[in-house]
Amino acid sequence: MECFDLNILGCGSALPTTRHLATSQVINLRDKLYMIDCGEGTQVQMRRMRIKFSKLNHIFISHMHGDHCFGLPGLLSTLGMLGRTGELVIHGPKELEDYLTPILSLFCKELPYPVRINAVNPTTSELVWEDRSIKVHSLPLKHRLPTTGYLFEEKAKEPHIIREMTDFYQVPVKELPRIKRGEDYITPDGEVIPYTRLTRPAAPPKRYAYCSDTTFYEKIIPLIEGVDLLYHEATFGETDAPRAKETFHSTAKQAAEIAKRAQVKKLLLGHYSARYEDVQFLKEEAREIFPNTFLAYEGLRIPV
């Protein structure tokens, strides 16, 4: 069965606690894995959630704060010990190469697989990656240093063949791929059978937007408009709004305001400050503005 699932490995902020780990997520789209950020503890969480290391080919790093990238060295080493041979592509800011080059040369110089770094421009929205399943665009965010979010857009699936109709018109099997691509079928007698009569539309493609870390930033609204799921940082509650402004982070209510203006379908909060023992109040504050709000937590697997 085809899926588009989001796996939360960590949803804490800069200071790891026993309640939350540093930021990391894995998207499973049609059995292809795409990681977003790689804080400490990422590979252990992959084990706990039974996420297959061998299916991971792309890692997207939002910015060069440690809670979003300190897990990379250990993960790269582990992939090598597991016998990986295929290329791993790491997308992120240009400073990523400065960070990884000495690590790769000192600790991972005999990796059995190539690592390619794809520099992402944090000042504009652009296509970062595309394959047969997905398009990934960057989302410029506003933080203390250059930061980018990511928009994952599933590519449209082919329509489903209606077996009863193709049997009725005795459509040869070799014609089915053309019909699924939107071509009409012409019978041996010359009758044109519209492809719409022989197929039913596939489910609409899904979109997921990842926005962490950032202050309240209205410029992202048109870029994420109508997405099926928005993950937006909610580091602070309203009582700590001055601290959020000072550190270029967002409150739960600000995240909800972005979700409301962008008319997204569902909002997922994360990147919680270590000062909070219980973050349920963040959900309550956000739901005052955007009712369809939920909290991220380690081990959560949520369909997009």
Side-chain angles (χ1 to χ4, degrees), residues 62-101:
S62 61
H63 64 296
M64 297 307 297
H65 275 159
D67 54 319
H68 295 259
C69 63
F70 278 172
L72 275 174
L75 177 59
L76 295 179
S77 178
T78 294
L79 291 174
M81 289 189 285
L82 290 174
R84 180 189 184 90
T85 57
E87 180 184 60
L88 178 71
V89 185
I90 307 178
H91 313 264
K94 59 183 178 62
E95 292 81 8
L96 190 61
E97 188 167 4
D98 297 333
Y99 167 57
L100 286 180
T101 297

Side-chain angles (χ1 to χ4, degrees), residues 35-301:
M35 178 176 286
I36 315 169
D37 281 336
C38 188
E40 292 177 86
T42 290
Q43 59 177 317
V44 175
Q45 285 295 91
M46 290 180 72
R47 293 286 192 190
R48 287 174 177 162
M49 297 182 69
R50 301 181 182 276
I51 295 173
K52 295 181 179 179
F53 288 74
S54 61
K55 298 289 186 180
L56 179 63
N57 293 314
H58 292 270
I59 300 175
F60 298 84
I61 301 299
S62 61
H63 64 296
M64 297 307 297
H65 275 159
D67 54 319
H68 295 259
C69 63
F70 278 172
L72 275 174
L75 177 59
L76 295 179
S77 178
T78 294
L79 291 174
M81 289 189 285
L82 290 174
R84 180 189 184 90
T85 57
E87 180 184 60
L88 178 71
V89 185
I90 307 178
H91 313 264
K94 59 183 178 62
E95 292 81 8
L96 190 61
E97 188 167 4
D98 297 333
Y99 167 57
L100 286 180
T101 297
I103 291 172
L104 291 171
S105 62
L106 184 61
F107 297 105
C108 307
K109 57 185 176 183
E110 296 181 357
L111 283 180
Y113 66 93
V115 175
R116 177 162 61 94
I117 298 174
N118 176 36
V120 176
N121 183 351
T123 66
T124 185
S125 177
E126 59 185 18
L127 182 65
V128 174
W129 176 252
E130 181 178 11
D131 58 32
R132 290 186 300 175
S133 301
I134 202 169
K135 286 184 179 181
V136 184
H137 286 83
S138 56
L139 298 171
L141 301 176
K142 189 176 182 180
H143 194 41
R144 297 195 303 277
L145 77 174
T147 303
T148 182
Y150 294 98
L151 174 65
F152 293 80
E153 183 176 2
E154 179 186 28
K155 286 192 173 179
K157 297 184 284 290
E158 291 183 332
H160 304 292
I161 293 292
I162 303 175
R163 181 62 182 273
E164 295 83 357
M165 297 303 293
T166 57
D167 287 348
F168 177 80
Y169 288 105
Q170 299 181 344
V171 179
V173 173
K174 67 178 182 180
E175 296 291 329
L176 298 183
R178 293 196 313 105
I179 294 170
K180 292 175 73 172
R181 292 194 298 267
E183 297 182 33
D184 297 333
Y185 171 62
I186 302 176
T187 70
D189 297 330
E191 182 183 1
V192 177
I193 310 301
Y195 76 93
T196 52
R197 191 182 301 172
L198 303 172
T199 61
R200 66 171 58 91
K206 302 291 186 178
R207 294 189 301 150
Y208 168 63
Y210 171 86
C211 297
S212 182
D213 300 7
T214 184
T215 189
F216 181 77
Y217 195 47
E218 296 172 297
K219 290 184 178 181
I220 66 172
I221 292 174
L223 301 176
I224 63 174
E225 187 174 2
V227 298
D228 296 273
L229 178 63
L230 166 65
Y231 176 93
H232 196 291
E233 75 132 278
T235 308
F236 296 104
E238 280 305 296
T239 57
D240 293 308
R243 179 61 177 164
K245 183 176 181 180
E246 176 186 354
T247 58
F248 285 82
H249 283 296
S250 297
T251 67
K253 279 194 172 183
Q254 288 172 335
E257 184 64 30
I258 292 290
K260 180 181 178 180
R261 294 194 198 180
Q263 299 180 29
V264 309
K265 295 177 182 176
K266 182 182 295 185
L267 171 64
L268 188 64
L269 303 179
H271 202 265
Y272 314 121
S273 170
R275 69 184 62 195
Y276 304 131
E277 292 285 338
D278 187 348
V279 295
Q280 288 294 321
F281 79 98
L282 295 175
K283 179 177 69 175
E284 295 167 3
E285 288 186 353
R287 283 187 170 180
E288 293 177 10
I289 296 173
F290 190 79
N292 203 23
T293 299
F294 301 87
L295 294 176
Y297 58 86
E298 283 71 11
L300 173 66
R301 181 173 287 116

